[in-house]
Amino acid sequence: MNASTRYNRQIILPEIGEDGQRKLAKAKVLIIGAGGLGAAVLPYLAAAGVGEIGIVDHDVIELSNLQRQVIYKTSAVGKYKVEEAKAMISEFNPGIKVNAIAEKLSGKNAISLFENYDIIVDATDNLSIKYLINDACLITKKPMVYGSIFRFQGQVSVFNYQDGPTYRCLYPEENNKVLNCEDAGVIGISVGIIGMLQANEVIKMILEIGEVLNGKILVYSILNNEQQKYDFDKNQAFEMNEIEFHKKYNSDKNHVQEISSEAVLNEIDADEVLFLDVRNEDEFPKVNFKNGIQIPLMNLENEIEKLNTNQTIYVFCQSGIRSKTAVELLQKHQFKNVKSIAGGVLKLKQFLKEEIKIEQ
């Protein structure tokens, strides 16, 4: 298949041309997350002819994903996102290379993965992972194309580009109390718009055209079609080397233990176990454990005296994100026997309908 025919409509743009198309073909881009943002970024980079695209995600497709992760079919529910994304893109544009990496990004694999690519795209909705991406980009000297959604508003920026500001320059505090899409809600159009804006920043960097959002953050609201662009400066005080990176992300102290829903099944009647729900009170479904207590994550530190440091505590939220943050908080307060229930209520309700009362 003739490449010049496939890409003709962009090659005729004087800012791109044949030279620009060759730059795209040589580029290597790594997308972290194959959810809503990733599903918007990926097709446009592939369509433009970016030569090699890696996709990192360890999750499988759920029915609730299809409302915003529009590259997946209903028949793909239960399959790995990265494998389905690779299959779709390989059929869509067989002239590019797609690497499906069915792993969870961590301190153990981030640096080695990032070293193989030119640009890193943050398509996640997990704040702790965003800091990890930022710090690994600093170590490997790669630009980070940031995207974030909260309900009807989105943000886009480019960090660590040409020694520019980083994510920590804009958000120095690691605040993990912000809700993700699963917990806060999201409409698919939001992730589509922000994902395409991220893809646009990637292509501008590869082609070296236009004005990259370096030291600038674009905030867009789909409810009123308003957008603002704010400048921010680099914080010279923050630096990180590889030793500090591994100490921060690979220390056993930072490890949050999890327990599976299947394992919980064996302990729901154990008197020595407390089930701690850190969701907000208006969240459904309600799960009524015999030994259960609800303390929303935002209130947990102020109400921590309600808990016994010596008790075995299993923490859960809607999807398993906030519960990990709660476990970290409890560990800092000398709680020793705490675990996060993997997958949260969304996973729990698949196993426990017969054993406990679940109100939809």
Side-chain angles (χ1 to χ4, degrees):
M1 189 177 293
N2 192 316
S4 62
T5 300
R6 175 182 284 272
Y7 305 118
N8 172 262
R9 295 301 186 272
Q10 63 191 39
I11 288 174
I12 61 177
L13 290 167
E15 293 85 354
I16 299 180
E18 295 284 357
D19 287 343
Q21 197 60 51
R22 280 191 286 271
K23 288 180 181 178
L24 289 167
K26 291 179 181 178
K28 298 180 179 182
V29 178
L30 183 65
I31 302 171
I32 312 298
L37 291 172
V41 174
L42 180 58
Y44 281 92
L45 295 186
V50 171
E52 183 172 347
I53 301 174
I55 320 165
V56 180
D57 199 308
H58 68 296
D59 208 356
V60 297
I61 300 165
E62 297 182 6
L63 187 62
S64 61
N65 297 153
L66 303 182
Q67 162 259 0
R68 63 198 178 281
Q69 300 172 20
V70 295
I71 62 174
Y72 304 122
K73 300 177 181 178
T74 303
S75 59
V77 170
K79 298 179 181 179
Y80 279 104
K81 291 180 181 180
V82 291
E83 296 294 347
E84 288 299 300
K86 178 179 179 177
M88 184 275 291
I89 291 300
S90 298
E91 185 176 346
F92 176 58
N93 188 354
I96 67 173
K97 181 179 180 181
V98 182
N99 304 315
I101 305 161
E103 300 176 17
K104 182 177 181 179
L105 190 74
S106 69
K108 291 181 169 56
N109 62 10
I111 290 176
S112 60
L113 284 172
F114 288 16
E115 286 176 336
N116 297 318
Y117 294 87
D118 307 315
I119 298 170
I120 312 301
V121 179
D122 161 39
T124 71
D125 65 352
N126 183 311
L127 283 182
S128 62
I129 296 296
K130 290 181 185 295
Y131 284 102
L132 169 62
I133 295 170
N134 174 81
D135 296 347
C137 282
L138 281 174
I139 302 300
T140 56
K141 301 188 184 307
K142 310 290 182 178
M144 168 187 174
V145 182
Y146 161 78
S148 180
I149 301 289
F150 185 74
R151 293 176 176 156
F152 295 99
Q153 187 183 86
Q155 299 180 352
V156 184
S157 187
V158 176
F159 302 118
N160 201 37
Y161 178 65
Q162 297 180 344
D163 198 35
T166 74
Y167 182 64
R168 289 184 182 275
C169 298
L170 186 61
Y171 299 117
E173 299 298 324
E174 296 193 27
N175 175 15
N176 289 322
K177 295 183 181 179
V178 178
L179 302 181
N180 65 3
C181 291
E182 225 165 36
D183 298 320
V186 66
I187 189 168
I189 294 167
S190 297
V191 292
I193 291 172
I194 298 303
M196 284 189 281
L197 288 172
Q198 287 182 276
N200 185 46
E201 294 304 304
V202 172
I203 289 172
K204 286 190 294 182
M205 281 189 283
I206 294 170
L207 296 174
E208 302 175 281
I209 62 174
E211 181 182 341
V212 175
L213 286 170
N214 178 29
K216 302 177 187 297
I217 185 164
L218 178 69
V219 181
Y220 185 86
S221 170
I222 72 165
L223 287 183
N224 52 23
N225 289 319
E226 287 185 356
Q227 63 179 31
Q228 292 85 32
K229 192 161 60 174
Y230 303 99
D231 296 337
F232 61 96
D233 296 324
K234 182 171 182 176
N235 181 358
Q236 300 290 348
F238 179 78
E239 294 181 3
M240 177 174 283
N241 57 41
E242 194 163 349
I243 294 174
E244 293 167 335
F245 178 90
H246 286 296
K247 184 177 179 181
K248 178 175 178 60
Y249 291 106
N250 295 326
S251 168
D252 289 337
K253 292 188 300 182
N254 294 326
H255 180 65
V256 172
Q257 285 192 318
E258 290 187 289
I259 182 170
S260 68
S261 297
E262 299 96 318
V264 167
L265 192 64
N266 300 320
E267 302 199 46
I268 56 175
D269 292 320
D271 292 333
E272 67 274 13
V273 174
L274 177 72
F275 291 91
L276 172 60
D277 184 353
V278 294
R279 297 176 299 161
N280 297 327
E281 293 179 359
D282 59 352
E283 292 186 65
F284 285 88
K286 299 296 184 183
V287 182
N288 298 311
F289 285 103
K290 181 182 74 173
N291 299 323
I293 184 174
Q294 183 172 36
I295 305 176
L297 178 59
M298 65 183 69
N299 302 335
L300 183 57
E301 193 152 27
N302 294 330
E303 299 181 26
I304 208 162
E305 71 280 353
K306 293 180 179 180
L307 306 174
N308 183 343
T309 56
N310 297 316
Q311 190 166 22
T312 298
I313 301 175
Y314 295 153
V315 188
F316 66 94
C317 61
Q318 197 76 348
S319 62
I321 303 297
R322 283 173 288 170
S323 57
K324 290 183 180 180
T325 302
V327 169
E328 291 175 349
L329 175 62
L330 292 173
Q331 287 174 337
K332 288 178 183 177
H333 286 269
Q334 308 308 311
F335 285 77
K336 305 297 183 185
N337 303 313
V338 287
K339 292 182 181 179
S340 169
I341 298 179
V345 170
L346 297 178
K347 185 66 70 174
L348 268 174
K349 67 181 183 180
Q350 299 176 21
F351 294 93
L352 303 180
K353 285 183 179 178
E354 301 300 321
E355 286 75 17
I356 58 176
K357 185 179 179 183
I358 296 181
E359 301 174 13
Q360 300 292 339

